[in-house]
Amino acid sequence: MVNAENFNAKWSPRMSNMASIIRELGLLRSVRSVTYYFTLGYPHIDGEYIVPDSDLVYHADNITNNINTFVAAVRDAMPRIRNVRAYNYRPVISIPSVEQVATQVLESVTKIIDRRPDHLSLAHIGFTDELVASPVTESLQSILLSDYQGRELETVLIQRNASTLEKLHIETASLSACLKLVWDYSQPSELVVFTSLKHMIIKWAHGQRNPNERHPTATPFPRLETLVCRGFLPFIAPAILTDFQTHLRHLDVEADQRLLDIYNQDEIFTKGSFKTLGYVSLRWGYYFNSNTGYTCTPLAYKSAGLSDCMHTLCLRDMRLKNISLLVSEVQFPQTLRNLDMANTMLSIDDAMAILIMCPQVLKANLSLTDVSLNLEADTLTTEEIVKYQDRYRDNAARIKYLGLKSWKCKSVQVAAEFALLLVDVVPSITRVCIAPNLLSTQVKLLEDINAARKRSAFASHLRLDSVQFCIDDCW
């Protein structure tokens, strides 16, 4: 905890401070990771911070001396640190002297990082010339930034590690900022190639697509294996997407209309076109008009056929039209083992149609609905349960693990009966994980499953006693 107010005080040899506390720990040879929280004030019992509400006497020399003492203590106690995280949690205070203290401590982040780490995470840390030019921020293997705006210093920091960077993780960024990553900041016409980058994660890319935006004609990511992007995928140039076909292993992106156009017009997302892709997750982006939800069906077609070596397929948050037509026309790869359809509402018939068409799948995550049944009561009749049992007797489904992410049913009891019915007609299931969305409802679901187990339609089915039902997010 790098407390600016504490670092502003004069540390005497007999005074307990951050440096003395670290020295008391002794030599910590096995420590490889350290996290610095830059704060101002002290935590209260209720979790809030007590911050200065009046002027402080600003002691610049004290801060400088204490930073040096602190860094020396960390260096001696933890000589093998390779992973450094720095988070700025200080509140903004409009008292000039307090801001002076906090600013000087925060600008000392380069000194506090001290040595050259392999992995660097910065959250709400202001970039300085000293930080970007320092030897401690070169030859990095991974960088995590909380908010990337495409400004010069942060862009230069990333680009100076283009040859060594293996993982780039950005929490939020604009589309235009992301595209700046691939053009040399000092020579904007020159493409920056990230020769070692294997994993790129952009948690939220926002903004509007610019039809006049310049896109590369060659790939800046020749070794990328993992691509995760929420919001708008910035890198949609055909040259980049075509190159991905030969080495991408994990694809998890949201689609928008422009990316959909590429799906439909270019021969990039064709059946089996991605030769090494094992994990596929394509879904509609947050901004995409939900009224066009039924067009998720062709998106599902594309997703299922992208790779012949796919082991995991995610079709989450989709509205699919005519599931029976989908499963009859799509050839799911024989290598598929995991199917995640969380929040894509399926009837019992829809779920069984998919599981029967994918006997190779061992783990499925589903969301169930009874909307198509127009039930009048809050429970299934015995005749309805027996009808399903007879319909799906001796089917080809072979899953072992069933996840129940959510349900949209007339009652929790109906959802429980659906869950037990699935387990009953698919005898290979050994474990059912109910996602912990709302604990009280999940507990009620488990209770109703136990109650349904005593109904005449299930009473003699002793195999159900060996199936484990639990509240756990197995995905």
Side-chain angles (χ1 to χ4, degrees):
M1 190 75 73
V2 182
N3 189 312
E5 191 174 1
N6 179 258
F7 275 72
N8 187 56
K10 185 175 179 60
W11 289 358
S12 67
R14 296 180 180 180
M15 174 185 177
S16 177
N17 53 59
M18 290 305 302
S20 65
I21 292 172
I22 290 173
R23 292 192 189 282
E24 289 174 3
L25 298 175
L27 183 60
L28 305 173
R29 289 187 180 276
S30 61
V31 174
R32 297 291 186 274
S33 179
V34 62
T35 302
Y36 297 109
Y37 294 95
F38 289 83
T39 65
L40 181 63
Y42 298 90
H44 190 263
I45 191 170
D46 62 3
E48 296 294 325
Y49 268 77
I50 302 174
V51 298
D53 57 3
S54 60
D55 277 332
L56 291 174
V57 178
Y58 174 39
H59 296 292
D61 291 342
N62 285 351
I63 294 175
T64 299
N65 293 334
N66 294 339
I67 290 290
N68 292 336
T69 302
F70 175 75
V71 169
V74 173
R75 185 190 304 124
D76 293 342
M78 295 170 273
R80 297 182 178 179
I81 291 173
R82 306 310 306 161
N83 184 357
V84 176
R85 306 182 189 94
Y87 300 148
N88 177 19
Y89 282 131
R90 70 182 181 90
V92 176
I93 297 178
S94 58
I95 303 173
S97 61
V98 176
E99 276 297 302
Q100 276 184 304
V101 171
T103 300
Q104 184 182 344
V105 172
L106 189 58
E107 288 180 349
S108 301
V109 63
T110 306
K111 292 180 180 178
I112 292 174
I113 293 173
D114 180 47
R115 69 205 79 189
R116 181 180 295 176
D118 294 328
H119 313 282
L120 179 63
S121 301
L122 300 175
H124 309 295
I125 299 293
F127 284 77
T128 64
D129 290 329
E130 181 184 14
L131 175 65
V132 172
S134 172
V136 306
T137 58
E138 67 180 358
S139 302
L140 292 170
Q141 294 178 23
S142 74
I143 295 176
L144 186 154
L145 301 179
S146 61
D147 185 16
Y148 173 64
Q149 298 295 331
R151 291 183 287 259
E152 178 180 2
L153 292 179
E154 54 190 356
T155 303
V156 171
L157 173 66
I158 296 172
Q159 291 183 350
R160 76 188 295 232
N161 292 281
S163 63
T164 59
L165 199 61
E166 296 180 7
K167 180 178 180 179
L168 177 61
H169 184 135
I170 296 173
E171 288 292 314
T172 62
S174 66
L175 279 172
S176 59
C178 291
L179 289 171
K180 287 181 180 179
L181 282 174
V182 301
W183 299 112
D184 192 309
Y185 207 93
S186 58
Q187 294 180 295
S189 62
E190 295 294 322
L191 183 69
V192 176
V193 179
F194 293 82
T195 54
S196 301
L197 191 66
K198 295 181 180 179
H199 311 285
M200 180 162 57
I201 300 169
I202 304 174
K203 283 294 189 71
W204 187 245
H206 56 84
Q208 296 292 328
R209 292 204 185 277
N210 181 356
N212 299 318
E213 192 81 59
R214 183 166 57 117
H215 291 273
T217 56
T219 182
F221 313 114
R223 297 185 62 191
L224 197 68
E225 297 178 1
T226 300
L227 175 60
V228 178
C229 183
R230 296 283 180 269
F232 294 94
L233 178 64
F235 309 107
I236 61 172
I240 298 178
L241 296 175
T242 301
D243 180 71
F244 284 164
Q245 293 176 342
T246 62
H247 51 80
L248 202 64
R249 299 180 182 276
H250 184 113
L251 178 65
D252 183 354
V253 299
E254 293 185 341
D256 64 292
Q257 189 60 56
R258 179 69 187 97
L259 195 57
L260 181 63
D261 290 342
I262 294 176
Y263 287 158
N264 295 332
Q265 296 173 8
D266 295 292
E267 295 185 0
I268 295 174
F269 294 91
T270 55
K271 186 179 185 307
S273 57
F274 284 74
K275 305 304 180 184
T276 60
L277 197 57
Y279 182 104
V280 177
S281 177
L282 297 176
R283 69 187 82 178
W284 288 136
Y286 175 80
Y287 288 112
F288 199 78
N289 187 345
S290 61
N291 292 329
T292 61
Y294 282 129
T295 57
C296 288
T297 303
L299 184 62
Y301 280 64
K302 291 283 187 180
S303 303
L306 280 182
S307 171
D308 294 331
C309 60
M310 187 190 312
H311 57 75
T312 301
L313 174 63
C314 296
L315 301 175
R316 284 182 165 231
D317 305 300
M318 290 187 175
R319 286 194 298 166
L320 299 177
K321 186 178 182 180
N322 199 337
I323 293 290
S324 59
L325 182 63
L326 172 68
V327 297
S328 65
E329 294 188 359
V330 173
Q331 289 187 338
F332 294 90
Q334 288 303 308
T335 55
L336 189 64
R337 297 294 179 266
N338 308 297
L339 179 63
D340 185 2
M341 299 187 71
N343 299 324
T344 296
M345 291 299 168
L346 304 173
S347 68
I348 285 289
D349 290 322
D350 291 337
M352 287 305 302
I354 291 171
L355 296 179
I356 290 170
M357 285 300 297
C358 302
Q360 68 274 33
V361 170
L362 301 178
K363 184 177 179 182
N365 194 29
L366 306 178
S367 291
L368 300 177
T369 180
D370 64 1
V371 172
S372 62
L373 299 181
N374 296 316
L375 295 176
E376 295 183 2
D378 288 340
T379 181
L380 295 176
T381 65
T382 299
E383 291 74 17
E384 287 171 324
I385 295 174
V386 171
K387 179 185 68 174
Y388 283 115
Q389 289 172 330
D390 291 342
R391 180 181 301 171
Y392 295 112
R393 197 181 306 278
D394 300 323
N395 64 79
R398 294 293 180 268
I399 67 166
K400 292 184 177 181
Y401 308 105
L402 173 65
L404 186 56
K405 176 64 177 177
S406 59
W407 59 87
K408 187 177 181 181
C409 297
K410 189 174 181 63
S411 68
V412 177
Q413 186 173 347
V414 171
E417 291 163 348
F418 273 1
L420 191 60
L421 186 56
L422 271 177
V423 175
D424 188 42
V425 299
V426 184
S428 56
I429 296 176
T430 60
R431 179 182 172 96
V432 179
C433 294
I434 301 165
N437 301 323
L438 182 60
L439 189 57
S440 60
T441 305
Q442 269 67 17
V443 171
K444 176 70 165 59
L445 181 68
L446 285 178
E447 293 173 349
D448 284 354
I449 288 174
N450 290 330
R453 174 71 182 87
K454 299 174 183 177
R455 294 189 57 173
S456 59
F458 299 114
S460 62
H461 298 195
L462 300 182
R463 186 195 66 83
L464 295 176
D465 294 334
S466 64
V467 178
Q468 180 186 10
F469 290 86
C470 61
I471 299 176
D472 185 17
D473 195 349
C474 59
W475 290 80

